[in-house]
């Protein structure tokens, strides 16, 4: 994955996760040639990957996200709200209320329940198990 315009848009956790995986794979291949600042960047990337692997983004991909976004298009959510739904994968009305601004005015209880169902249907839960990147990507 390549960042074309760093100020063009916000990224989901899934996109950051994918970008950092690519960065760590490149860094692991040429570790001897890394400058000091690149080593620090690699350490930051590694720590971020360790964190993100504990979140639902680990099981997401662009197709899953696109299907989810298509399924919620009629709810008139802001881009930030959609991003938070993808990143946080809320499964209770209270979590929805915290993510969606003025949700009591904008959504009925039935719509909130429908959104929860769509989250559960389209966005996979975080599963535990061995990972690709943390287990040795940077030799740590």
């Amino acid at each position: 994955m390549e960042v074309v315009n760093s100020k063009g848009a916000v990224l989901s956790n899934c996109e950051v996760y994918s970008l950092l995986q690519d960065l760590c794979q490149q860094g692991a291949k040429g570790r001897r040639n890394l400058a000091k600042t690149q080593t620090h960047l690699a350490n930051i990337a590694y720590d971020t990957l360790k964190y993100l692997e504990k979140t639902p983004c680990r099981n997401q991909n662009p197709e899953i996200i696109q299907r989810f976004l298509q399924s919620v298009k009629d709810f008139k959510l802001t881009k930030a709200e959609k991003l938070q739904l993808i990143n946080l994968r809320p499964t209770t009305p209270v979590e929805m209320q915290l993510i969606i601004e003025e949700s009591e005015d904008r959504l009925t209880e039935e719509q909130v329940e429908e959104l929860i169902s769509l989250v559960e249907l389209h966005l996979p839960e975080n599963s535990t198990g061995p990972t690709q990147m943390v287990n040795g990507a940077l030799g740590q």
Side-chain angles (χ1 to χ4, degrees), residues 15-99:
E15 292 166 317
V16 172
Y17 182 69
S18 178
L19 180 66
L20 290 175
Q21 280 184 314
D22 292 346
L23 176 68
C24 286
Q25 286 175 349
Q26 291 169 5
K29 291 176 186 172
R31 183 145 175 115
R32 291 185 185 141
N33 298 328
L34 291 176
K36 200 171 203 176
T37 56
Q38 290 173 317
T39 302
H40 291 301
L41 179 60
N43 289 335
I44 291 168
Y46 178 79
D47 290 341
T48 304
L49 273 173
K50 281 178 34 180
Y51 166 76
L52 289 174
E53 285 183 342
K54 297 174 188 171
T55 70
C57 78
R58 179 172 178 233
N59 301 310
Q60 296 172 353
N61 61 47
E63 293 80 25
I64 288 171
I65 291 172
Q66 191 60 40
R67 281 195 301 265
F68 174 73
L69 291 173
Q70 188 66 29
S71 73
V72 299
K73 69 178 181 176
D74 294 332
F75 286 92
K76 296 183 176 121
L77 301 170
T78 67
K79 288 180 183 180
E81 291 166 343
K82 292 175 192 174
L83 182 64
Q84 290 302 321
L85 291 176
I86 292 166
N87 287 344
L88 299 175
R89 197 185 178 277
T91 56
T92 66
V94 171
E95 291 172 312
M96 284 291 180
Q97 186 177 26
L98 294 171
I99 292 170

